[in-house]
Amino acid sequence: MNLDTLFTRSKPAVGKRGVHLDLKGLPPTPQRFVELLRLFAAARYNVVLVEWEDSFPWTVDERFRSPTAYSPDDVRRFARVAADLGLELIPLVQCLGHMETPLSVHGFEHLRELPDNESSLNPIDPGSRQLVQQMVDDVLSLMPDVTHFHLGGDESWIFGKSPQTAEYIAAHGKGALYLLHVEPILDRLVSSGIRPILWHDMMVEWDDAALVRLGQKCDLMTWGYAGHPDNGNGHCRTEYFKRFKANGISLWGATAYKGAEHLNERHGADRPVLSERQENALAWMEIANRLNYVGVIATAWSRWNTSAIQCVPIDAALDALVLLGVILHDGALPAGGVDACIDALDSLGEKARFVACRAAMRRLTNVRREGWLHVQYVREQITLARLDKRRTSASSASTGMKCVSQLENFVKESDSVANEVRASLHGLLEAVWIEEYLATRLLPLREEYETLRRDAFQS
């Protein structure tokens, strides 16, 4: 089956249909980085939102780079291939919250909103705006032809928490403080013919005057990854989007094809929950058509914040990637559902590798789940023996050792699973990220086994 057979509409349901690359976790190898563009185009995305984070070859300060940061030539090649495929690239550089990468580097601590918290910039310090502008300029030096630039700006949990910023908000309002920091960056982008974009969640409490002022210089990308915004809570509520529109702001939407599983306390997910991704994407398409959105982006989080463990490799989620490509284009599910999307990957030479990766991730999830359930059982059994002296007979001790021995089987299986994951991701991700992924998932189980084994012998 060819990917083209999945699509039924001659005219897309929404103009801009984007896919997200979150490069702060599990960044693809340089070769895979480019190969993914061809897959995006085949799935009829026409925008790629590139969240560079520590994968960019920063010159502002080279300490911002990860060990596998792309080279300038890698970035130029990526941009060139994207242009050849008709894909619009939108770079994303954070401007307020999620600033752990620079604010954890020695010499930048003074720009923090709070001294002991590296997550957010102090919006009053002129050095904060200067840092963001330098990072924006760094990206534009290698991507000079972009027409949109995403400045992030979301989830600044400590916004207005310092005495200085709290005083400013009390006198002028939240919108005024935010604009004090961001507006000069917006103005500079607009003067260069580039339309800025910001996430919407920080603006839900703004007054109308601040929203009007923002809308003259910037689009907002409304986001929410669970259910329908009509029934939403927190920042993701249709009533907020209507108010933004009433104040003249152009809107985009953001669903997710992977990495949003933390919303259901699955922080270390290995695979997307397809039913949830499908439901949410269809909801955003309904909102996009109702409120005349510019476009909708399928985000793809590789860490749900900078300091969290990596989650859901891209190549373990190609079924969701294609499924959401169809939903964003047609506004509906493909005939044959996700199975048809998987079959269509065969025409691009991607199916066999995806199926192997999916199988490895499912096995990884299962061994972790079953292993930790067994840890719980062993812990409970050991506690019982300590609380009730009648349970400390030779037979009960033997039972405890048998439970620990069974746990050892899960640890041994984890070694086999790890090799399967390595093989499925070989050449797609650098080894350092594969090993980090496996260590965060499997090493805690091994360490718990060693502790339990020692405790069982001492009981």
Side-chain angles (χ1 to χ4, degrees):
M1 177 185 288
N2 190 288
L3 252 68
D4 287 341
T5 63
L6 297 174
F7 301 90
T8 59
R9 289 184 59 137
S10 57
K11 181 180 179 181
V14 66
K16 302 282 189 180
R17 304 172 307 284
V19 63
H20 174 224
L21 283 168
D22 174 24
L23 299 175
K24 64 180 175 285
L26 296 166
T29 62
Q31 180 61 31
R32 187 57 172 165
F33 193 39
V34 172
E35 289 175 355
L36 286 170
L37 291 172
R38 298 184 175 91
L39 179 56
F40 297 159
R44 301 207 182 173
Y45 294 101
N46 59 6
V47 171
V48 182
L49 177 64
V50 189
E51 188 160 355
W52 286 108
E53 275 286 344
D54 56 356
S55 288
F56 192 79
W58 299 107
T59 64
V60 177
D61 194 309
E62 292 186 3
R63 293 175 297 172
F64 296 175
R65 302 179 187 180
S66 81
T68 63
Y70 299 112
S71 71
D73 283 344
D74 291 333
V75 177
R76 293 188 189 98
R77 181 188 177 206
F78 182 78
R80 184 172 62 253
V81 173
D84 291 344
L85 292 168
L87 294 167
E88 177 187 353
L89 296 183
I90 301 179
L92 191 157
V93 172
Q94 292 287 351
C95 70
L96 187 61
H98 294 296
M99 289 294 288
E100 293 88 352
T101 294
L103 294 184
S104 296
V105 172
H106 179 66
F108 292 90
E109 300 94 338
H110 67 288
L111 298 180
R112 297 173 181 177
E113 169 88 357
L114 296 176
D116 61 348
N117 190 319
E118 71 277 8
S119 67
S120 294
L121 286 165
N122 182 342
I124 285 182
D125 192 320
S128 295
R129 183 167 62 249
Q130 181 182 6
L131 171 61
V132 174
Q133 188 62 66
Q134 289 175 329
M135 294 177 74
V136 169
D137 290 344
D138 229 359
V139 171
L140 290 176
S141 70
L142 296 180
M143 303 177 69
D145 300 322
V146 301
T147 57
H148 291 88
F149 201 112
H150 203 308
L151 290 167
D154 61 317
E155 295 185 326
S156 180
W157 305 119
I158 57 173
F159 182 73
K161 297 298 184 182
S162 72
Q164 186 183 23
T165 56
E167 182 180 357
Y168 193 98
I169 288 174
H172 305 287
K174 290 185 176 180
L177 175 60
Y178 195 106
L179 288 168
L180 175 73
H181 171 58
V182 171
E183 193 168 27
I185 305 170
L186 303 181
D187 287 340
R188 187 162 170 180
L189 286 169
V190 170
S191 69
S192 300
I194 299 171
R195 183 69 175 176
I197 303 171
L198 289 163
W199 298 117
H200 85 284
D201 54 288
M202 295 293 292
M203 292 79 178
V204 297
E205 296 179 355
W206 284 22
D207 60 79
D208 287 349
L211 290 176
V212 169
R213 185 169 154 192
L214 180 72
Q216 294 170 350
K217 304 177 180 185
C218 181
D219 294 355
L220 286 184
M221 189 170 286
T222 59
W223 64 275
Y225 309 133
H228 198 300
D230 284 354
N231 308 313
N233 51 37
H235 70 276
C236 186
R237 295 161 62 178
T238 306
E239 63 186 88
Y240 293 141
F241 312 157
K242 291 179 178 178
R243 183 164 172 259
F244 294 150
K245 289 290 290 186
N247 282 288
I249 300 177
S250 294
L251 299 178
W252 302 59
T255 181
Y257 83 82
K258 77 174 189 74
E261 286 65 38
H262 71 277
L263 293 169
N264 291 319
E265 301 182 348
R266 290 185 285 269
H267 295 188
D270 301 306
R271 282 268 301 147
V273 180
L274 292 172
S275 59
E276 295 175 2
R277 299 302 100 236
Q278 173 181 301
E279 176 191 19
N280 185 244
L282 289 168
W284 275 111
M285 290 304 295
E286 197 275 322
I287 291 290
N289 283 284
R290 191 195 313 171
L291 299 181
N292 193 29
Y293 271 36
V294 176
V296 178
I297 305 293
T299 61
W301 304 101
S302 298
R303 301 184 195 265
W304 55 271
N305 66 48
T306 305
S307 301
I309 65 172
Q310 300 179 112
C311 63
V312 193
I314 292 171
D315 285 282
L318 296 188
D319 50 352
L321 169 71
V322 174
L323 178 66
L324 264 67
V326 176
I327 292 173
L328 267 55
H329 185 277
D330 285 2
L333 295 173
V338 71
D339 289 341
C341 296
I342 295 170
D343 288 341
L345 287 170
D346 205 25
S347 65
L348 298 175
E350 295 281 353
K351 181 180 177 180
R353 187 161 53 180
F354 163 71
V355 169
C357 189
R358 180 183 61 176
M361 289 300 158
R362 284 176 170 171
R363 191 177 169 206
L364 176 61
T365 297
N366 287 338
V367 75
R368 291 167 64 205
R369 179 185 298 119
E370 296 302 318
W372 283 107
L373 285 173
H374 201 73
V375 166
Q376 178 183 341
Y377 174 68
V378 176
R379 278 289 180 197
E380 291 166 350
Q381 197 69 29
I382 291 173
T383 299
L384 173 63
R386 288 174 177 167
L387 290 174
D388 188 341
K389 297 305 180 183
R390 296 173 301 168
R391 317 297 172 181
T392 57
S393 65
S395 61
S396 64
S398 175
T399 299
M401 288 306 302
K402 182 179 180 181
C403 291
V404 173
S405 178
Q406 289 170 344
L407 180 57
E408 183 180 13
N409 293 333
F410 288 106
V411 173
K412 290 179 178 178
E413 185 182 356
S414 73
D415 292 335
S416 172
V417 170
N419 287 331
E420 186 176 339
V421 170
R422 290 186 186 101
S424 71
L425 294 174
H426 178 71
L428 305 175
L429 301 171
E430 301 289 359
V432 63
W433 303 121
I434 299 173
E435 294 308 314
E436 180 189 295
Y437 190 90
L438 290 169
T440 56
R441 280 155 167 74
L442 298 177
L443 187 57
L445 184 62
R446 179 178 292 276
E447 292 173 344
E448 188 69 11
Y449 160 70
E450 296 293 345
T451 300
L452 285 170
R453 186 170 179 271
R454 183 183 66 244
D455 289 352
F457 274 119
Q458 292 173 352
S459 297

